[in-house]
Amino acid sequence: MAFTRFNLFLRDEFCCQYCGARGDLTFDHVVPRAAGGVSSWQNVVAACSPCNLKKGSRALHRTGMNLRKPPRQPGAEELRNTGRKFPPNHLHDSWMDFLYWDAELEA
């Protein structure tokens, strides 16, 4: 599976992996890039802006925050099944202005 924002958010069911909030999502490096963390399925999660700001570039264990589920690379079938949970055209309408979101993220 291509490592894209769209697929990352789909894997995480458009839900912040720290607090469970939906909407205003960005992505967060669990091990910060400043500490040698890489942009990969195993190190990046969907996060709401408030949680992303709260965590900052600190290690997760220093923040008192916990992940809802560990990051991992999803399979194609898993992403298809997750996508079926959302109403038709849900993603298309929400992301009309963000066509770049399905571009591969740089490692």
Side-chain angles (χ1 to χ4, degrees):
M1 293 305 310
F3 182 55
T4 66
R5 292 174 194 248
F6 178 85
N7 286 342
L8 175 76
F9 287 174
L10 189 58
R11 177 199 71 186
D12 292 344
E13 299 185 34
F14 300 91
C15 179
C16 175
Q17 293 303 293
Y18 297 113
C19 73
R22 296 186 180 274
D24 193 24
L25 292 177
T26 183
F27 61 92
D28 180 62
H29 290 80
V30 178
V31 175
R33 289 174 36 176
V38 297
S39 296
S40 70
W41 285 111
Q42 294 78 17
N43 190 48
V44 178
V45 296
C48 67
S49 291
C51 283
N52 200 343
L53 288 171
K54 179 180 175 183
K55 181 176 172 289
S57 61
R58 296 180 294 160
L60 189 58
H61 70 277
R62 297 188 182 271
T63 64
M65 300 169 75
N66 295 303
L67 287 168
R68 298 170 72 80
K69 59 184 178 182
R72 60 184 173 54
Q73 183 169 354
E77 185 68 20
E78 176 187 352
L79 290 185
R80 274 193 296 276
N81 289 337
T82 302
R84 290 185 182 115
K85 296 178 183 178
F86 297 93
N89 300 319
H90 170 76
L91 303 176
H92 174 74
D93 291 342
S94 333
W95 290 9
M96 283 296 289
D97 294 332
F98 302 101
L99 298 177
Y100 71 91
W101 280 35
D102 211 27
E104 286 206 39
L105 298 172
E106 293 181 23

